Amino acid sequence: MKPFRYQHVADVDSAVRTLSEISTAAYLAGGTNLVDLMKLEVAVPDLLVDVRRLTSDRIDLHPDFVRIGASVTNSALAADPAIRERFPMLSQAVLAGASGQLRNLATAGGNLLQRTRCVYFQDVTTPCNKREPGTGCSARKGFHREHAILGSSESCIATHPSDMAVALVALDAVVNTQGPRGPRAIPLVGLHRLPGDHPERDTVLEHGELITSIDIPSLGFATNSRYRKARDRASYAFALVSVAAALDVADGEVRDVRLALGGVAHKPWRATRAETSLRGVSATAEAFREAAEAELADARPLPDNEFKIPLARNMIVGILTELAEARR
Amino acid sequence: MTVTTSLIGAPVDRIDGAEKVRGAALYAAEHPVERPVYVFPLQAAIALGRVTGIDASAAIAEPDVVDVLTHENAPRLASAQDAELAILQSPEVAFRGQFIGAVLAETAEVARRAASLVRLSYEQLTHDVELHPARADLVRPGEVNGGFPTDTADGDVDGALATAAVVLDATYTTPQEHNNPLEPHTTIAMWTDDELTLYDSTQGVHWVRDAIATLFGLDPESVHVVCPHAGGGFGSKGLPHAHVVLAAMAARLVTPRPAKLVLTRQQMFSVVGYRTGTIQRIRLGSDSTGQLTAISHDVVEQTSRIKEFAEQTAVPTRVMYAAPNRRTTHRLAELDVPAPTWMRAPGEAPGMFGLEVAVDEMAIACGLDPIEFRIRNEPDTDPETGRPFSSRNLVACLQEGARRFGWPERNPRPRTHRDGPWLVGTGVAASTYPVFSMPGSRATIRARPDGRYRVLIGAADIGTGAWTALTQIAADALDVEMSDVMLSIGDTDLPYASGAGGSTGIMCWGSAIVDAARKLRAELPIGEPIPDEGVEITGTLPDNPYAGQLAMHSFGAQFAEVKVHTGTGEVRVPRLLGIFAIGQMINAKTGRSQLLGGMTMGLSMALHEHSVVDPRFGHVVNHDFAEYHIPTNADIGSIEADWIDEHDPYVNPMGAKGIGEIGIVGTAAAIANAAYHATGIRVRDVPITLDKFLA
């Protein structure tokens, strides 16, 4: 690990100012991903600014939305009674991620900014456009079983690893930030970037821009929601494919639906095409299947991750069928 | 003095349990040594070629860096015969990740950081790291691991297959796998004049001593190896690997300071061995009654170009089933890769995956229940040698397991049992493991005037409970209480002991202890006063008079229930049962744990383990526990291990067979067979991942 300085600052503004001035500085919150990357010398910051206690660690209920402070731990978020009741899929998604020990340390803000677990990205002895732009993508012709089928580019096929973000993107969450140019609110669906020619940039955040909280707008039918994660073992593994869904059904017809996929793209994938095709149609397994296939029509798999297409399709059909039956 | 009741077979708690739970049991890195220098290896970033330049200036300039070791300043070794161990003797690189030097520093963190600052240049040659069966350059090894013949042939296999009523011809594969004990491979080395002390995490202190003495040209008496506790090994800590040499070389540079080297998990994926991948073509022929007429098992696997290791994958096939026409072969691809080594049940674990899935397929093709098929093909004597078995209770294990598992209620047709979205199936496989013996173990017992007995033997406890089991054996053989026995193990200052390998430890060490106790009791019968000067007797592992006359093996039957999700293909194993015929169990508690651990590792082999080699770079890319999967608690359902009463007075004085390895054997096949029963999809390649059930 490269030697680094560690600094406490008084408040969010000082943190943002400090980072804005030093291009090699990074924020430290839970550290559950960053410190690993530092040990591997994938991340080599000169300065860590501890923001763990600068942002809220509370979950506040407002009339139209729920605000999750950036320092809320994954454990606290998953256990929160309001979250469990109003947005069961969010609680399920967080519990599907990592291990109990990691969830105790990991924070909501940091969870959104964790980096891909692509084995080539994490190994500095192999080429990787995301880690070292211009060196090439080792995964494309290498070990890519866990990699993207949607929205990837010639330069990168890595997936975004968060489970929590998949549920949040389905819920139309908004990320509040404080940056060098002041505060802004970024819809979560627009926070993460597709790789294009610049896979080294994961998000639209500017250097120094700090996530301070996450807002989830109220969504009545989100009480009928679920998160389902398929992976190579029963716990403690990243998603091969995950699905977050909420369904509003009346008289056998889909009134509204929210659907997002994990493990398939560089970002938590909001399945808008499937959602559009489902609104107003009969809530049947056939309709769910057609919607899933429409969403996956643009998938461009590689030889070892082709299975993600039927897997995602079946999971979408399965979870929507369960949600439809739960409302019957 | 009262006569003790028999301790052998009792579920005795670990005598070192409390010490371990409190963190007081010393593992290799924890031995207190003064001012150690920390060693971080430099590893080759190419798979074949040579190092042409080393610029260590930036590393040396770091504060607290002590030295940089490379082939340019490394001590010359007395023997370069073992190319895996003879490191830093030239700039040649034989595999990616090979040690090409090390940084020595005052702290582990500084050493690791400085290692990343060393600039290396290479002349790179085209490497070859891919195992596949179509190669024209496969070689036939002189013998396979365990000293078994490479090939065997009896009768006319091709003729029998041509005329068989039912024929199976299928290929099964197992991937490269890594041992991954919890405690990383660790060595502290320190020189005093020409004497070397090693605190090493090993399965055999004397094995390490002898190998290191040869390499450095030392009298074995000048090498002192200490290992009271090791956190697992699974075979990777059997013989020493290059890190022990690297630590000893580093310590030479800083004599008399000790050098401490703890490998990272990632490093363990390139320098401490692994299980070769296997490609197994199995052909079976039977008559119309389901009696096997031909068995053929042809194996292709890999070895390192610099050191041959030929896994005995088809060897268990030689002992399992009767058939007049039988053939087994082993061929090797010599690749630019690290040397493979022992990994729990080398040969038996992958070989019995192939054979026992093939037997399941064959039973079904013959219209027979898989248990009935196995019983029908049970040999009267060892099919290979014709020798009688000292004991062979496979049928009893199959029948007892079937009864306890509810096998008779099973609908044999696949895809007939559903539980919601899950397809449910059950499967069975046989297990076997030979009763090996390793020569040379000696034990000394000192009777003390206070009525206590010191038992000395350089044995290893790699977490299996040897501390406890050997104390039980000694107490029983001496006819005293366990509290009267003071055991010393894990040190080359103690009498020679063979390593913990091949499931031989307790049998070989225990037999030497029993021999010493019998001799002592002949001289000093129980109840007689012990003289003031005490009595000391050394016993040895006796020659087995039945060796060469009887075939000696453990057997077992593994049962699995498997669920496969119809939508996602996810595979779960809610139930595992293993029934074993292993002679006399020494400790029912630690022994059961060994069997459960083996079965868990078999489940891991079935569902998870796969070292993925990227042929472009030549290394295992999923080299950590996030990506190299072993089971979590959530992956293990109900898991039970038990054993039948088996009396086998021929294997050794205790009548005990080894238990370290048989638990893994057959488990993966039982799971694959259950997955077939659940889904109707036959998976012939492990790991059995969800994608294999998706379309």
Side-chain angles (χ1 to χ4, degrees):
Chain A
M1 189 186 288
K2 187 178 150 191
F4 60 90
R5 289 181 298 122
Y6 170 87
Q7 194 174 331
H8 270 292
V9 292
D11 51 33
V12 167
D13 287 342
S14 326
V16 170
R17 210 163 37 243
T18 307
L19 245 75
S20 303
E21 285 162 8
I22 302 173
S23 64
T24 54
Y27 292 128
L28 176 73
T32 56
N33 183 212
L34 177 65
V35 175
D36 279 352
L37 293 176
M38 289 169 67
K39 286 182 190 165
L40 298 169
E41 300 207 333
V42 172
V44 284
D46 288 315
L47 171 66
L48 290 185
V49 176
D50 193 330
V51 294
R52 182 74 192 231
R53 282 171 188 81
L54 303 188
T55 56
S56 165
D57 63 354
R58 289 169 47 95
I59 296 170
D60 294 314
L61 308 182
H62 297 268
D64 300 330
F65 64 96
V66 175
R67 174 162 291 177
I68 300 162
S71 294
V72 170
T73 64
N74 283 16
S75 299
L77 177 62
D80 187 83
I83 298 293
R84 295 175 87 138
E85 190 196 324
R86 296 182 194 196
F87 312 111
M89 69 166 154
L90 177 57
S91 176
Q92 291 163 11
V94 174
L95 289 175
S99 64
Q101 293 89 338
L102 287 168
R103 290 195 294 269
N104 287 342
L105 268 181
T107 63
N111 191 318
L112 296 177
L113 299 181
Q114 60 181 311
R115 309 207 69 193
T116 184
R117 292 330 197 269
C118 173
V119 292
Y120 300 100
F121 173 73
Q122 295 193 104
D123 184 343
V124 295
T125 69
T126 59
C128 168
N129 286 327
K130 193 174 193 63
R131 180 171 28 78
E132 223 179 314
T135 54
C137 172
S138 295
R140 184 165 274 281
K141 287 186 177 164
F143 178 50
H144 55 249
R145 182 170 183 276
E146 294 163 17
H147 288 66
I149 56 170
L150 288 166
S152 62
S153 74
E154 282 302 310
S155 38
C156 185
I157 57 170
T159 52
H160 180 70
S162 168
D163 292 294
M164 183 189 83
V166 180
L168 284 175
V169 86
L171 290 167
D172 281 333
V174 173
V175 174
N176 300 306
T177 70
Q178 181 74 34
R181 285 182 286 180
R184 62 169 171 160
I186 307 167
L188 183 53
V189 73
L191 176 71
H192 299 96
R193 296 176 67 257
L194 289 178
D197 293 333
H198 287 284
E200 72 278 8
R201 288 199 62 201
D202 289 352
T203 68
V204 299
L205 296 183
E206 289 179 69
H207 178 70
E209 194 170 1
L210 179 69
I211 295 175
T212 52
S213 62
I214 301 160
D215 292 346
I216 311 175
S218 297
L219 182 71
F221 71 86
T223 52
N224 188 40
S225 70
R226 252 168 234 192
Y227 186 77
R228 177 85 162 85
K229 178 179 183 179
R231 49 185 152 182
D232 276 329
R233 60 182 165 192
S235 80
Y236 202 43
F238 293 97
L240 292 169
V241 171
S242 68
V243 178
L247 186 69
D248 187 11
V249 179
D251 303 326
E253 195 170 284
V254 177
R255 280 206 303 214
D256 204 353
V257 60
R258 297 297 162 80
L259 193 64
L261 306 175
V264 295
H266 216 72
K267 55 188 287 181
W269 189 265
R270 180 72 181 267
T272 44
R273 200 186 284 182
E275 288 180 1
T276 308
S277 79
L278 281 170
R279 288 196 185 95
V281 307
S282 289
T284 63
E286 198 184 306
F288 298 150
R289 188 184 177 92
E290 279 171 18
E293 280 171 356
E295 190 64 52
L296 296 162
D298 291 342
R300 285 185 305 159
L302 291 160
D304 295 337
N305 67 7
E306 261 177 317
F307 72 91
K308 285 191 173 188
I309 294 177
L311 179 59
R313 180 197 65 210
N314 294 355
M315 288 175 70
I316 292 170
V317 174
I319 196 170
L320 290 176
T321 305
E322 283 177 39
L323 291 171
E325 278 167 8
R327 274 298 152 99
R328 195 154 285 158
Chain B
M1 189 175 291
T2 57
V3 174
T4 56
T5 55
S6 177
L7 291 160
I8 300 292
V12 178
D13 288 346
R14 286 169 191 264
I15 59 175
D16 50 345
E19 198 188 355
K20 283 187 172 176
V21 170
R22 287 199 305 266
L26 291 183
Y27 288 82
E30 300 167 339
H31 287 275
V33 291
E34 271 190 50
R35 291 182 65 230
V37 168
Y38 293 84
V39 183
F40 196 87
L42 298 169
Q43 293 181 277
I46 61 167
L48 189 66
R50 61 207 317 266
V51 177
T52 53
I54 301 166
D55 176 3
S57 52
I60 292 283
E62 285 285 299
D64 289 340
V65 168
V66 174
D67 208 340
V68 174
L69 174 69
T70 69
H71 71 271
E72 289 163 356
N73 63 345
R76 296 301 98 190
L77 293 169
S79 165
Q81 203 175 358
D82 186 332
E84 181 195 353
L85 298 182
I87 54 169
L88 309 191
Q89 302 301 292
S90 81
E92 305 301 320
V93 172
F95 61 89
R96 199 177 194 275
Q98 188 173 27
F99 291 147
I100 51 176
V103 173
L104 286 56
E106 298 293 342
T107 71
E109 292 77 13
V110 167
R112 182 172 184 168
R113 166 66 183 159
S116 73
L117 300 176
V118 177
R119 295 285 154 251
L120 294 153
S121 43
Y122 302 96
E123 179 195 337
Q124 189 169 0
L125 300 174
T126 307
H127 62 253
D128 178 3
V129 300
E130 277 187 278
L131 173 66
H132 55 84
R135 305 175 64 102
D137 58 349
L138 294 174
V139 301
R140 182 185 184 284
E143 61 175 31
V144 293
N145 180 51
F148 297 102
T150 305
D151 299 342
T152 57
D154 261 308
D156 173 12
V157 169
D158 295 331
L161 285 170
T163 56
V166 184
V167 174
L168 173 93
D169 182 349
T171 298
Y172 305 84
T173 70
T174 62
Q176 197 177 118
E177 296 161 356
H178 278 77
N179 311 45
N180 277 307
L182 198 55
E183 184 200 15
H185 291 61
T186 298
T187 306
I188 300 173
M190 44 204 259
W191 291 87
T192 320
D193 301 323
D194 279 330
E195 302 236 332
L196 175 63
T197 299
L198 299 167
Y199 297 98
D200 188 39
S201 182
T202 177
Q203 295 172 226
V205 288
H206 288 95
W207 285 353
V208 173
R209 179 197 69 177
D210 293 349
I212 296 299
T214 303
L215 272 173
F216 286 87
L218 301 168
D219 179 343
E221 293 297 307
S222 304
V223 181
H224 180 202
V225 184
V226 182
C227 180
H229 301 284
F234 305 124
S236 69
K237 293 178 185 168
L239 297 171
H241 296 290
H243 64 282
V244 184
V245 186
L246 194 65
M249 284 179 165
R252 204 47 156 164
L253 292 190
V254 295
T255 304
R257 293 182 71 181
K260 187 186 279 199
L261 196 174
V262 181
L263 292 184
T264 64
R265 184 62 56 184
Q266 286 91 342
Q267 287 163 349
M268 283 166 56
F269 279 83
S270 44
V271 290
V272 297
Y274 60 96
R275 195 199 296 285
T276 176
T278 70
I279 300 160
Q280 308 176 40
R281 183 180 182 193
I282 298 183
R283 280 170 285 186
L284 302 176
S286 89
D287 65 18
S288 57
T289 69
Q291 195 75 51
L292 285 168
T293 55
I295 302 172
S296 173
H297 193 165
D298 299 303
V299 181
V300 175
E301 52 202 19
Q302 75 183 46
T303 188
S304 143
R305 211 182 293 282
I306 58 166
K307 180 177 180 178
E308 183 177 285
F309 178 83
E311 183 142 337
Q312 70 274 34
T313 307
V315 165
T317 297
R318 297 172 187 169
V319 78
M320 282 308 294
Y321 300 107
N325 306 289
R326 296 187 334 279
R327 179 171 67 207
T328 59
T329 68
H330 297 86
R331 296 294 177 270
L332 297 177
E334 294 179 312
L335 303 176
D336 303 309
V337 295
T341 190
W342 303 321
M343 177 165 164
R344 204 170 196 168
E348 272 74 14
M352 288 290 279
F353 168 73
L355 180 68
E356 288 299 296
V357 176
V359 162
D360 197 69
E361 295 198 56
M362 194 65 182
I364 293 166
C366 293
L368 289 171
D369 177 86
I371 292 177
E372 171 56 28
F373 181 85
R374 285 180 174 86
I375 293 172
R376 200 167 285 199
N377 288 288
E378 179 74 358
D380 297 327
T381 57
D382 178 7
E384 199 64 36
T385 60
R387 288 174 191 149
F389 287 98
S390 64
S391 56
R392 175 169 172 135
N393 284 301
L394 172 58
V395 171
C397 292
L398 287 163
Q399 288 170 338
E400 172 65 9
R403 188 184 66 75
R404 285 175 52 172
F405 199 72
W407 190 261
E409 293 90 64
R410 172 187 197 256
N411 179 343
R413 280 184 45 229
R415 225 181 160 85
T416 49
H417 183 188
R418 252 179 186 266
D419 176 11
W422 298 89
L423 292 164
V424 185
T426 48
V428 66
S431 3
T432 189
Y433 196 80
V435 177
F436 284 122
S437 188
M438 299 211 195
S441 285
R442 293 163 58 235
T444 297
I445 301 180
R446 281 185 207 140
R448 309 194 324 174
D450 65 358
R452 303 183 76 191
Y453 296 82
R454 190 163 277 288
V455 177
L456 311 165
I457 182 165
D461 190 332
I462 57 171
T464 57
W467 275 104
T468 310
L470 294 181
T471 303
Q472 279 173 268
I473 290 168
D476 245 19
L478 290 165
D479 203 5
V480 298
E481 303 287 346
M482 275 183 74
S483 55
D484 291 331
V485 173
M486 295 175 294
L487 180 73
S488 297
I489 63 171
D491 193 314
T492 47
D493 281 354
L494 300 167
Y496 179 92
S498 54
S503 299
T504 64
I506 294 300
M507 296 182 295
C508 292
W509 311 324
S511 297
I513 290 172
V514 170
D515 185 58
R518 284 178 182 168
K519 286 176 178 155
L520 184 75
R521 278 287 166 260
E523 199 164 306
L524 181 74
I526 188 95
E528 273 199 17
I530 301 171
D532 286 346
E533 69 277 15
V535 178
E536 178 174 311
I537 292 280
T538 293
T540 55
L541 169 65
D543 286 337
N544 187 333
Y546 305 102
Q549 298 174 34
L550 298 174
M552 303 181 192
H553 299 264
S554 297
F555 290 93
Q558 307 269 9
F559 292 79
E561 180 180 308
V562 169
K563 290 162 70 167
V564 180
H565 195 278
T566 46
T568 62
E570 289 158 297
V571 186
R572 298 285 182 265
V573 181
R575 231 165 24 118
L576 276 181
L577 170 69
I579 301 290
F580 301 96
I582 44 183
Q584 173 64 53
M585 179 60 96
I586 303 294
N587 182 323
K589 181 175 277 185
T590 58
R592 174 176 275 115
S593 292
Q594 279 265 68
L595 295 170
L596 295 179
M599 290 169 67
T600 302
M601 205 159 165
L603 180 149
S604 188
M605 175 184 174
L607 302 188
H608 302 307
E609 293 190 47
H610 183 189
S611 304
V612 179
V613 175
D614 189 319
R616 298 165 303 173
F617 307 108
H619 72 305
V620 172
V621 292
N622 55 338
H623 53 196
D624 60 39
F625 275 166
E627 294 297 331
Y628 183 91
H629 283 184
I630 56 174
T632 64
N633 279 347
D635 293 291
I636 307 297
S638 155
I639 176 166
E640 281 183 73
D642 210 343
W643 48 95
I644 62 167
D645 272 335
E646 184 178 77
H647 180 64
D648 187 336
Y650 307 107
V651 284
N652 52 48
M654 297 166 297
K657 299 175 179 177
I659 53 171
E661 294 171 276
I662 192 166
I664 189 175
V665 180
T667 304
I671 290 169
N673 295 341
Y676 168 78
H677 183 236
T679 62
I681 295 167
R682 180 62 73 177
V683 179
R684 299 188 180 91
D685 313 285
V686 284
I688 304 168
T689 45
L690 57 76
D691 45 293
K692 288 167 179 160
F693 301 98
L694 284 171

